[in-house]
């Protein structure tokens, strides 16, 4: 039993008083450390809460946060919580040429969340301003630099009073741009999920455990897993900037080795990347025997990737049981199930025939895999005490052991719904169960995920998960990894399988040979012949802002006969420059408009002619100054 | 005095990071259209930083669209007198 039993996050922050030996350490890009003890974090939260209250912010008001670095993000987030505000963490602009789509997403999210203020770095302001005038609710921008300053006089630093049902923060999921959905996470949800993760799942001990994370803090796994849950249970954490990990993936394992980390989590792709980038001399130097949990979740787990990681890192003394596949989603706060700490990665090998036709997972011998007659699924463990996982068919009937259907969850971690979106809330949270949209089954209480419900391909009465077909295609020599899409289209007698992929081919013969190998691979492994294989130029398939291929959009383009054409349409540098120029212009306009609004507000208070002239001159100086600087 | 040819360095970096041989890079090349995923792009940035001993701030990178934009950024960050071309 954990010695920490704070009823909510504010109380957990308050329990930090006087604890000066451990806390959160933030590495910067040069690996310089910035340490905040628990006690420092509490003091920072109080101070920043006072700053925020000075702006007139009060309990329940939303504040958007675009803060890329942990040392700014974490104390500010805790300060907003301390003041009873509802932080809305947002991802910072992605690098290299994605600014336009970023701005659209940002504005859509802000208009849904309706924050009163946006907190960001002063250097980010200019990049963000272009979109902000489209957000009516915003009164202005607060800079992180300002929050660092000494607490304002005469403003309360007392903790807000909250109940379990009060909103703690909004977690926006990576849904579509036009209709972003913010998960309403309550204070009760946070306590329940923090307990599930830190006590039931990881059995943490604050004297021993040490988390290491490079996960983005605007994402549930990074924020709840490494900021909120560890604050509740006082587990120290070392944070690596996400961009530093991406730039140099081995920094993750290097840091674990150096600080003797015991707990870390990452999605599947990070394990692949870390394995690829690790060099022999690093393996010889590292000792990863300290790690008790290498959590893997947030995207489909590829058993091959994980086995390669375990095998490679065994040379660095990694214990195989440290690998911890898990299942979760933002709508359930974060975690839904973990495998036990002493278990290692395990998979279930089931009969393909029964899987595709009867929607049942019948275990068969592993040798059937090589014959292409079986499917392999990763065991994601059991759900936590007080929580329940059920499998349901489309009619809402609960299914039994090893029957495949939609995974649904209930319990204290399931969020309240989507913020100001009753229809979507009813669809997903209605009826007392959270409908995850994932297909899977239960065996001995363990959760197995087979795919996403909306993507499932049904051909001749058989069910196929596109992800599995795409993984097969990825293995074919010449195919760009992670750049294939499988979907179905109506055919003569049944749906037909279509595969679209990106590759570089030099000649017609090479192109035909590649198509043939892809078909061959799918036939061998799935006993399914694709009706069409389309090879497109590299970079031409539609992607989401996070770089994932968009299945439904690719399918639509295929049906419209436009797939792969986008990349060929050469925009030329001028078109791109126009986009950028528009940005700069919008940014300027946005700033001047805001400034004008502020001046107008001030003008109402003008007491004398001199005062008015002074204010106008200030405005003029500002505008000429900005324009002079930018052009 | 350092001399840097951005397209050459870019091609080297892309080859190292993603194993892709890209040989038609000019100043007008739009980076987002090269089909490198977002992780590869950031690794590529790291490659530039290491080779040239510079630090490219995230907020500047957000505004980079073409190889020429990258060149301009590199030029600004390199010690005075360095020759940066594309």
């Amino acid at each position: 039993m954990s010695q920490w039993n704070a009823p909510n996050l504010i109380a957990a922050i308050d329990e930090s008083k006087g604890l000066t030996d451990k806390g959160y350490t933030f590495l910067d890009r040069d690996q310089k450390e910035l340490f905040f003890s628990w006690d420092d974090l509490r003091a920072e939260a109080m101070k920043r809460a006072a700053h925020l209250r000075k702006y007139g912010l009060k309990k329940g008001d939303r504040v958007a946060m675009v803060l890329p670095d942990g040392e700014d993000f974490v104390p500010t987030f805790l300060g907003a919580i301390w003041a009873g505000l509802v932080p809305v963490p947002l991802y910072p602009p992605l690098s290299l040429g994605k600014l336009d789509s970023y701005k659209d997403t940002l504005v859509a999210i802000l208009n849904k969340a309706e924050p009163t203020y946006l907190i960001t770095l002063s250097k980010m302001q200019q990049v963000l301003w272009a979109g902000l005038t489209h957000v009516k609710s915003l009164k202005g921008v607060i800079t992180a630099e300002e929050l660092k300053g000494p607490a304002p006089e005469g403003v309360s630093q007392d903790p807000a009073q909250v109940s379990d049902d009060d909103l703690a923060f909004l977690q926006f999921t990576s849904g579509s741009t036009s209709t972003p959905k913010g998960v309403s996470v309550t204070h009760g949800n946070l306590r329940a999920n923090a307990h599930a993760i830190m006590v039931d799942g990881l059995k943490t001990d604050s004297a021993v455990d040490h988390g290491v994370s490079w996960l983005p803090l605007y994402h549930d796994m990074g924020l709840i897993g490494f900021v909120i849950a560890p604050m509740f249970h006082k587990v120290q954490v070392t944070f690596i900037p996400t961009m530093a990990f991406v730039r140099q993936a081995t920094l993750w394992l290097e840091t674990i080795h150096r600080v003797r980390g015991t707990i870390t989590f990452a999605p599947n792709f990070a394990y692949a990347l870390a394995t690829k980038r690790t060099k022999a001399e690093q393996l010889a130097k590292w000792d990863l025997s300290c790690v008790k949990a290498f959590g893997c979740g947030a995207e489909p787990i590829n058993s091959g990737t994980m086995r390669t990681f375990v095998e490679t890192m065994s040379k660095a003394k990694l214990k195989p049981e440290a690998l911890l596949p898990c299942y979760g989603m933002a709508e359930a706060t974060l975690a839904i199930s973990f495998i036990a700490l002493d278990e290692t990665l395990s998979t279930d090998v089931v009969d393909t025939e029964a899987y595709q036709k009867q929607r049942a997972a019948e275990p068969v011998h592993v040798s059937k895999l090589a014959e292409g007659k079986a499917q392999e699924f990763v065991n994601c463990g059991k759900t936590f005490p007080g929580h329940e996982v059920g499998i349901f068919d489309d009619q809402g009937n609960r299914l039994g052991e090893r029957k495949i259907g939609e995974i649904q969850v209930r319990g204290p971690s399931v969020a309240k719904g989507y913020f100001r979106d009753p229809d979507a809330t009813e669809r997903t949270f209605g009826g007392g169960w959270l409908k995850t949209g994932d297909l899977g089954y239960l065996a001995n209480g363990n959760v197995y995920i087979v795919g996403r419900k909306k993507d499932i391909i049904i051909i001749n009465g058989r069910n196929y998960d596109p992800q599995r077909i795409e993984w097969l295609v990825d293995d074919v020599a010449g195919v760009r990894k992670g750049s294939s899409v499988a979907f179905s289209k109506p055919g003569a007698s049944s749906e037909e399988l279509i595969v679209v992929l990106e590759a570089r081919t030099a000649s017609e013969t090479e192109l035909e040979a590649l198509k043939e190998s892809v078909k061959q691979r799918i036939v061998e492994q799935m006993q399914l012949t694709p009706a069409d294989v389309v090879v497109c130029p590299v970079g031409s398939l539609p992607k989401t802002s996070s770089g994932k291929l968009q299945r439904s959009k690719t399918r639509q383009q295929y049906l419209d006969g436009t797939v792969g054409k986008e990349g060929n349409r050469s925009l030329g540098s001028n078109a791109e420059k126009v986009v950028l120029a528009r940005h700069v212009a919008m940014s300027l306009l946005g700033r001047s408009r805001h400034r004008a609004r502020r001046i107008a507000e001030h003008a109402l208070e003008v007491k004398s002619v001199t005062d008015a002239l002074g204010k106008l001159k200030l405005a003029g100086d500002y505008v000429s100054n900005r324009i002079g600087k930018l052009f | 005095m350092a001399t840097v040819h951005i397209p050459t360095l870019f091609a080297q970096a892309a080859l190292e990071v993603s194993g892709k041989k890209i040989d038609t890079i000019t100043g007008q090349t739009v980076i987002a259209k090269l089909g490198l995923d977002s992780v590869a792009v950031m690794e590529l940035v790291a490659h530039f930083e290491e080779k040239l001993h510079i630090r490219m701030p995230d907020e500047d990178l957000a505004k980079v669209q073409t190889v020429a934009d990258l060149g301009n950024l590199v030029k600004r960050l390199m010690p005075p007198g360095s020759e940066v071309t594309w």
Side-chain angles (χ1 to χ4, degrees):
Chain A
M1 200 56 201
S2 169
Q3 63 179 113
W4 309 101
N5 287 301
N8 57 53
L9 185 54
I10 296 173
I13 299 168
D14 210 18
E15 279 184 347
S16 303
K17 193 177 181 184
L19 302 176
T20 53
D21 58 333
K22 284 176 181 167
Y24 293 158
T25 304
F26 301 97
L27 299 181
D28 71 5
R29 283 183 61 187
D30 301 306
Q31 297 206 56
K32 273 207 292 287
E33 293 186 354
L34 184 61
F35 172 71
F36 287 85
S37 70
W38 299 118
D39 191 65
D40 294 338
L41 287 165
R42 176 177 173 275
E44 281 293 325
M46 292 169 70
K47 183 179 87 182
R48 291 179 195 226
H51 276 291
L52 294 169
R53 280 173 172 153
K54 199 190 71 190
Y55 280 88
L57 287 161
K58 54 191 188 310
K59 190 179 162 185
D61 286 348
R62 272 87 54 218
V63 277
M65 296 173 55
V66 181
L67 295 170
D69 299 321
E71 61 185 82
D72 300 312
F73 184 97
V74 174
T76 304
F77 182 88
L78 297 176
I81 291 281
W82 186 266
L85 310 180
V86 179
V88 185
L90 299 164
Y91 67 91
L94 292 168
S95 64
L96 303 196
K98 301 266 168 67
L99 202 55
D100 238 19
S101 60
Y102 172 79
K103 189 202 75 184
D104 293 346
T105 312
L106 182 76
V107 169
I109 291 177
L110 292 176
N111 277 324
K112 191 83 199 174
E114 298 188 281
T116 316
Y117 280 94
L118 173 95
I119 308 172
T120 189
L121 297 174
S122 59
K123 61 181 182 181
M124 282 281 173
Q125 269 191 93
Q126 198 202 322
V127 181
L128 298 178
W129 258 111
L132 298 184
T133 47
H134 299 287
V135 185
K136 299 265 182 299
S137 65
L138 272 186
K139 285 193 183 154
V141 171
I142 302 172
T143 65
E145 287 84 350
E146 191 183 335
L147 300 179
K148 278 185 200 166
E153 301 273 331
V155 185
S156 162
Q157 297 195 17
D158 294 343
Q161 298 299 314
V162 294
S163 65
D164 275 7
D165 210 35
D166 280 332
L167 208 49
F169 79 106
L170 294 183
Q171 175 74 57
F172 274 84
T173 58
S174 43
S176 64
T177 310
S178 54
T179 53
K181 285 185 286 193
V183 178
S184 299
V185 181
T186 65
H187 279 281
N189 293 149
L190 288 181
R191 181 188 62 239
N193 212 241
H195 190 274
I197 296 168
M198 305 306 275
V199 181
D200 301 326
L202 298 171
K203 304 190 191 321
T204 55
D205 175 350
S206 42
V208 181
D209 281 311
H210 191 150
V212 174
S213 174
W214 55 264
L215 297 167
L217 295 167
Y218 48 84
H219 183 273
D220 53 1
M221 197 149 81
L223 177 55
I224 295 163
F226 287 93
V227 178
I228 296 172
M231 173 56 79
F232 266 101
H233 296 279
K234 296 292 179 279
V235 169
Q236 61 178 326
V237 179
T238 298
F239 294 90
I240 303 164
T242 305
M243 279 305 161
F245 162 76
V246 175
R247 283 170 159 115
Q248 191 195 339
T250 53
L251 191 57
W252 176 29
L253 303 176
E254 175 76 35
T255 305
I256 292 173
H257 161 77
R258 184 171 59 81
V259 306
R260 311 312 295 149
T262 65
I263 297 165
T264 190
F265 274 75
N268 193 77
F269 92 86
Y271 287 91
L273 187 65
T275 310
K276 198 162 101 190
R277 295 281 175 253
T278 299
K279 296 189 173 71
E281 58 265 31
Q282 291 173 308
L283 287 173
K285 186 185 88 175
W286 291 339
D287 174 6
L288 300 178
S289 62
C290 48
V291 182
K292 74 175 188 188
F294 259 110
C296 181
E299 64 176 16
I301 304 170
N302 184 319
S303 54
T305 302
M306 299 314 288
R307 285 196 192 106
T308 312
F309 179 80
V310 172
E311 207 178 286
T312 309
M313 298 307 155
S314 67
K315 297 185 192 85
K317 305 190 188 71
L318 170 76
K319 290 181 286 202
E321 68 270 21
L323 211 65
L324 189 97
C326 54
Y327 173 55
M329 65 193 325
E331 285 80 353
T333 300
L334 171 61
I336 294 171
S337 74
F338 278 13
I339 67 165
L341 276 179
D342 55 0
E343 284 174 341
T344 183
L345 173 82
S346 69
T347 57
D348 195 27
V349 178
V350 304
D351 183 52
T352 298
E353 182 82 12
Y355 162 68
Q356 290 173 347
K357 294 187 89 169
Q358 287 121 45
R359 306 307 283 146
E362 288 175 9
V364 289
H365 192 261
V366 63
S367 63
K368 295 276 184 195
L369 268 180
E371 298 167 28
K373 290 181 178 159
Q375 308 282 315
E376 190 180 27
F377 299 111
V378 172
N379 176 6
C380 292
K382 295 178 169 59
T383 193
F384 307 104
H387 296 71
E388 189 183 357
V389 170
I391 308 293
F392 291 81
D393 69 12
D394 289 343
Q395 287 71 45
N397 303 309
R398 196 157 178 183
L399 301 175
E401 180 88 348
R402 290 193 165 276
K403 292 279 185 261
I404 296 165
E406 184 178 42
I407 299 173
Q408 300 191 10
V409 186
R410 64 181 176 188
S413 298
V414 172
K416 210 173 175 175
Y418 295 116
F419 188 68
R420 294 187 180 165
D421 198 337
D423 294 344
T425 299
E426 180 54 33
R427 275 198 302 279
T428 305
F429 294 85
W433 289 85
L434 163 67
K435 291 155 204 71
T436 63
D438 286 320
L439 286 174
Y441 62 93
L442 285 169
N444 295 321
N446 292 312
V447 179
Y448 295 84
I449 318 295
V450 311
R452 285 297 289 171
K453 195 177 164 188
K454 65 174 170 56
D455 289 336
I456 213 77
I457 299 172
I458 305 173
I459 295 174
N460 291 324
R462 289 166 181 265
N463 291 260
Y464 301 91
D465 173 42
Q467 175 78 74
R468 305 205 147 240
I469 299 171
E470 290 157 8
W471 278 343
L472 285 176
V473 175
D474 274 359
D475 285 345
V476 176
V479 174
R480 257 192 92 222
K481 270 207 191 310
S483 296
S484 58
V485 178
F487 54 87
S488 64
K489 76 164 183 70
S493 59
S494 172
E495 290 277 299
E496 290 177 338
L497 175 66
I498 311 295
V499 175
V500 179
L501 58 95
E502 292 181 352
R504 264 167 214 287
T505 46
S507 65
E508 200 62 30
T509 356
E510 215 180 287
L511 179 76
E512 287 310 315
L514 180 63
K515 283 186 183 179
E516 203 41 54
S517 345
V518 168
K519 277 190 186 174
Q520 203 61 38
R521 176 98 178 127
I522 298 173
V523 172
E524 274 168 20
Q525 297 294 317
M526 294 260 167
Q527 282 76 46
L528 178 68
T529 312
D532 196 4
V533 175
V534 184
V535 179
C536 298
V538 166
S540 62
L541 295 181
K543 286 186 171 173
T544 64
S545 57
S546 57
K548 282 186 191 160
L549 285 175
Q550 291 180 302
R551 274 196 202 101
S552 56
K553 202 165 173 189
T554 306
R555 180 175 186 275
Q556 198 50 51
Q557 290 185 351
Y558 176 84
L559 296 175
D560 297 344
T562 58
V563 69
K565 302 275 161 53
E566 217 160 82
N568 293 339
R569 200 195 313 137
S570 173
L571 273 173
S573 65
N574 267 337
E576 296 290 333
K577 280 204 185 106
V578 169
V579 171
L580 188 65
R582 207 171 73 215
H583 259 297
V584 175
M586 283 303 291
S587 171
L588 264 177
L589 187 65
R591 279 171 164 237
S592 333
R593 257 198 232 157
H594 177 78
R595 201 75 186 176
R597 212 158 58 195
R598 288 248 293 257
I599 290 162
E601 281 165 11
H602 267 285
L604 295 173
E605 301 166 3
V606 164
K607 296 271 157 58
S608 69
V609 177
T610 332
D611 185 27
L613 283 176
K615 274 171 183 158
L616 280 173
K617 184 179 179 311
L618 218 69
D621 285 352
Y622 174 78
V623 172
S624 62
N625 195 8
R626 296 311 305 177
I627 293 175
K629 255 184 201 160
L630 276 155
F631 289 106
Chain B
M1 193 174 83
T3 308
V4 185
H5 185 242
I6 298 290
T8 309
L9 194 56
F10 195 96
Q12 277 172 8
L15 185 68
E16 190 159 302
V17 167
S18 66
K20 291 273 171 306
K21 204 169 165 336
I22 310 175
D23 35 32
T24 50
I25 295 174
T26 68
Q28 281 80 46
T29 303
V30 177
I31 296 165
K33 295 206 179 281
L34 287 173
L36 298 161
D37 61 43
S38 52
V39 173
V41 167
M42 285 319 293
E43 285 193 275
L44 202 131
V45 167
H47 188 98
F48 267 81
E49 293 180 331
E50 233 166 75
K51 272 269 153 68
L52 304 174
H53 307 286
I54 53 171
R55 277 299 158 99
M56 300 194 231
D58 291 342
E59 65 277 11
D60 288 330
L61 285 174
K63 288 178 258 177
V64 169
Q65 308 253 356
T66 63
V67 169
D69 294 339
L70 187 65
N72 277 316
L73 178 57
V74 168
K75 201 171 186 169
R76 187 153 63 72
L77 297 169
M78 294 283 284
S82 311
E83 198 181 325
V84 182
T85 57
W86 54 88

